[in-house]
Amino acid sequence: MTGTFTTRTVDVTAGSAETMHDLTNTCSAFLREVAHGRDGLLNVFTPHATSGLAVIETGAGSDDDLLAALREVLPADGRRRDRHGRAGPGHDHMLPALVPPHATLPVVGGELQLGASQSVVLVTTGRDVPDRQVRLSFLG
């Protein structure tokens, strides 16, 4: 059986505030174009030091709760220093250790297999880069 690999980069405008951007519809549209009813895996990756990807319920408060929890765990209070001893956005650069920059998700019959309340979201705490990229890759 021969598999196919298809990849595409999509641009996301995250803005200048911490945010969660729902990518579920973007992922599903990509799979409709490339999966052609096949089973496989969708890998989602963001190449930014201050972003991560989560599979989480959105719209019921969990998204706000996640951002609040990240503010508690990674406070922007200036305690983190760069290699020159200056206060900086070190808290934002620690985000991918807690919310990884990748997710690999099952695809069955060409469709993303998420639970009823699950969404794929880009989590961004860095305020310095309003435009982000996300790479979608299907292997099936």
Side-chain angles (χ1 to χ4, degrees):
M1 171 185 232
T2 350
T4 61
F5 179 79
T6 306
T7 188
R8 176 175 304 147
T9 301
V10 294
D11 295 319
V12 176
T13 300
S16 59
E18 64 183 18
T19 188
M20 293 178 65
H21 183 85
D22 194 332
L23 298 169
T24 310
N25 290 337
T26 301
C27 292
S28 293
F30 172 70
L31 290 171
R32 277 192 300 276
E33 270 186 61
V34 303
H36 305 291
R38 293 189 308 263
D39 295 349
L41 295 172
L42 174 68
N43 182 265
V44 187
F45 174 76
T46 183
H48 299 280
T50 59
S51 291
L53 292 154
V55 177
I56 189 171
E57 180 180 17
T58 59
S62 299
D63 36 1
D64 292 333
D65 289 344
L66 176 58
L67 291 174
L70 289 171
R71 282 192 296 275
E72 287 180 32
V73 173
L74 302 173
D77 59 6
R79 74 176 82 172
R80 291 177 181 78
R81 305 282 173 182
D82 67 14
R83 66 180 175 202
H84 305 292
R86 296 180 299 235
H91 60 286
D92 290 331
H93 288 269
M94 292 171 54
L95 173 71
L98 300 174
V99 181
H102 57 86
T104 301
L105 306 164
V107 176
V108 176
E111 295 186 16
L112 191 57
Q113 297 297 295
L114 294 174
S117 298
Q118 291 180 316
S119 296
V120 181
V121 296
L122 175 69
V123 180
T124 302
T125 59
R127 295 152 190 74
D128 55 338
V129 182
D131 298 317
R132 306 292 173 136
Q133 290 184 326
V134 174
R135 177 166 295 281
L136 305 175
S137 302
F138 174 71
L139 177 62

